[in-house]
Structure formats: C-alpha cells, structure tokens
Amino acid sequence: MTLLTTGTPGSAAPPAERGVGPLLRAWRERRRVSQLELALRADSSARHISFVETGRSRPSEEMVLRLAEHLDVPVRERNTLLVAAGYAPRYRETPLDDPALDALRAGMERLIQGYEPYPALVVDATYNVLAANRGITMLMDGLPEKLLAPPLNAMRLTLHPEGLAPRIRNLPEWRGHLLAQMERQIALHRSAPLRALYEEVAAYPVADTAPATAAESEPGEPAAYFALPMLIEHEGRTLSFISSISTFNTPMDVTVAELAIETLLPGDPATVKYLHSLMM
C-alpha cells in the first residue's frame, strides 16, 4: 500500500495569545514537576521559573526550548510555546508527499515490506493509516467498504463492530489496551483530534466474540506470552500477534515526530507457520 497524505493535524495547539507563562506552567503541572526541580534540570532558578510562568519575565528562545525539552513537550507544541513567547516556530511541518521526505517515505516502505509476511503499517498522530503491507491487507480481507474508505483509521478498523472487533477473540482485553494507550497519548500531547477519536471508538458497542479454543490452533503446548497478544480469527484459525511500535528519535520536523510504525509480530509458532504458508 502506497504512503498516503492526511490533512488531519496531530494536535490542536492552545492559542498563543494565552502567553508562554501559563502554557509552560500547564506543561510543568501535567508532568508533575515542581518549579525547583525544573529549575535544576534547566540550569536556572526557581525564582526565574516563577517569573516566567507569571509573565514577569520573558524567557529567551533558548530557555523556552530548554524548558520544553526537560518537560518532554511534543515538537508541535514546542512551536506553540515559541510563538506564544514572541519567537518564530523552530520546527517545520513538511507534508508527507513533499520531495524533501522522498528518502524517508521510501525507507518506511522498504521497512514495512521487509516485515512481510508479518503485518506492519505506518500511522500518524491520530492513527490514520499512511502505509501498510500485505500482512495488514490479509487481516482486513472482507471488511465493509465504508471502513476502508480514506482516511483509513487503524483504531476504527480495529474497534468498530463491523471491523476487526468481531474477529478478535480477546476483544475486552485488547480493547482495554488500545483505549489505555490512547489515554496516555492524550495526556502527553493534549490533542483535540485524538480525544475526539477516542470518544468515538470508546462509544462503539462491544461485539460479542467467542473465546479462542485449542481446536482452532495448531497442536502443541500453549504459548507462554510475554506481552498481551491480539488473538484474531482468520479463515477458521486463531492467530496470535504481539504489537511493537517504533517512532523516530530526535525528530526536527512535526510531521516526522508524529509518525509511528507498528508491527504485529507472531506470538506463537502456529502463527509463524500459517503466515509463511500464505506467501508460498
């Protein structure tokens, strides 16, 4: 599947007219860091941090970035802090189809294709699917067209009662895992679009699913799972997958910072054997 672009922003930035002080204080409180602790981290003083937060002192551009770094503020929101302090944004937001990202797109395509026959996909900050390999296509086989229409969204596909949900044999556990994952991201990124998606998928009725039985899997000893697997039915078999998510280290672009590559690694030998048989 070719890499696609999406017009949905990864997060809704707070208005810059609030001023940088209240925004920094909100991030500090969200991270549960005291003024003194932040000052020590940023090689400053608690007095100066207090003055910045109350608007009595205007921080330098370097100080804004330093505080944002120590508060683990997402790249998009760092631009918001800079603008609120009266500076120009530092991080670009390059469209994914821009020629400047040609090498990145090609690299991600090769990466997810290299995982075949195991499913792998690239998503943005609101789980819109930007690229997927044949393993993902296999799992989506038979889904209604309305769920496959752009923008394809991984959370909708997974949790919608007409999507993958009825095929997931441990749906209550997997659904709880996905919703908790989104809650953590909302707390980190303060993203209005992500919260809207969360409220949508959390409200989906939970499809009835039958638990997986030993007869549906290959004979052998039960797998000793080291992480919560997704147990999903495909053509009469129960496949087991462990999810792994990769992001880019030290991104300097908003678009790149919000990309994630998710791979579904087989959780038992029977799943390995079955997936490789499909590629023959």
Side-chain angles (χ1 to χ4, degrees), residues 174-193:
W174 192 250
R175 177 178 181 273
H177 156 68
L178 293 182
L179 293 179
Q181 175 180 302
M182 295 179 73
E183 288 171 353
R184 290 192 296 271
Q185 289 177 300
I186 290 169
L188 176 63
H189 295 284
R190 305 195 308 176
S191 167

Side-chain angles (χ1 to χ4, degrees), residues 48-114:
H48 183 57
I49 299 297
S50 176
F51 278 19
V52 167
E53 291 185 352
T54 58
R56 295 180 64 184
S57 177
R58 179 180 180 233
S60 67
E61 182 178 13
E62 179 187 359
M63 177 58 75
V64 172
L65 291 172
R66 192 187 314 163
L67 294 176
E69 176 71 23
H70 289 291
L71 291 172
D72 195 23
V73 177
V75 171
R76 180 184 294 274
E77 298 288 352
R78 294 185 192 192
N79 278 344
T80 300
L81 292 174
L82 287 168
V83 172
Y87 304 109
R90 172 69 63 92
Y91 305 96
R92 296 195 309 166
E93 185 173 2
T94 308
L96 194 56
D97 58 357
D98 191 288
L101 298 183
D102 282 350
L104 176 68
R105 291 195 309 274
M108 289 191 297
E109 287 276 13
R110 287 193 297 271
L111 180 61
I112 62 174
Q113 290 171 6

Side-chain angles (χ1 to χ4, degrees), residues 189-213:
H189 295 284
R190 305 195 308 176
S191 167
L194 185 59
R195 174 163 291 281
L197 176 65
Y198 172 86
E199 293 173 352
E200 175 191 334
V201 299
Y204 289 159
V206 180
D208 293 329
T209 58
T213 63

Side-chain angles (χ1 to χ4, degrees), residues 9-10 26 33 41 45 49 98 101 110 121 123 144 160 169 186 194 196 206 212 221 223 233 243 249 266:
V33 176
R41 293 181 186 179
S45 67
I49 299 297
D98 191 288
L101 298 183
R110 287 193 297 271
L121 70 162
V123 297
H160 196 282
R169 296 310 180 108
I186 290 169
L194 185 59
V206 180
E221 294 295 323
E233 186 273 337
S243 172
N249 191 29

Side-chain angles (χ1 to χ4, degrees), residues 26-56:
W27 280 109
R28 180 180 60 76
E29 292 174 348
R30 184 176 295 268
R31 298 293 182 260
R32 299 181 179 180
V33 176
S34 69
Q35 289 182 341
L36 177 59
E37 183 178 356
L38 179 59
L40 292 173
R41 293 181 186 179
D43 193 23
S44 183
S45 67
R47 178 184 175 88
H48 183 57
I49 299 297
S50 176
F51 278 19
V52 167
E53 291 185 352
T54 58
R56 295 180 64 184

Side-chain angles (χ1 to χ4, degrees), residues 149-167:
L152 201 65
N153 187 275
M155 286 295 178
R156 290 192 186 98
L157 283 172
T158 304
L159 297 178
H160 196 282
E162 296 180 44
L164 295 178
R167 307 177 187 180

Side-chain angles (χ1 to χ4, degrees), residues 121-135:
L121 70 162
V122 181
V123 297
D124 65 11
T126 52
Y127 292 95
N128 289 321
V129 179
L130 306 179
N133 66 8
R134 289 181 293 173

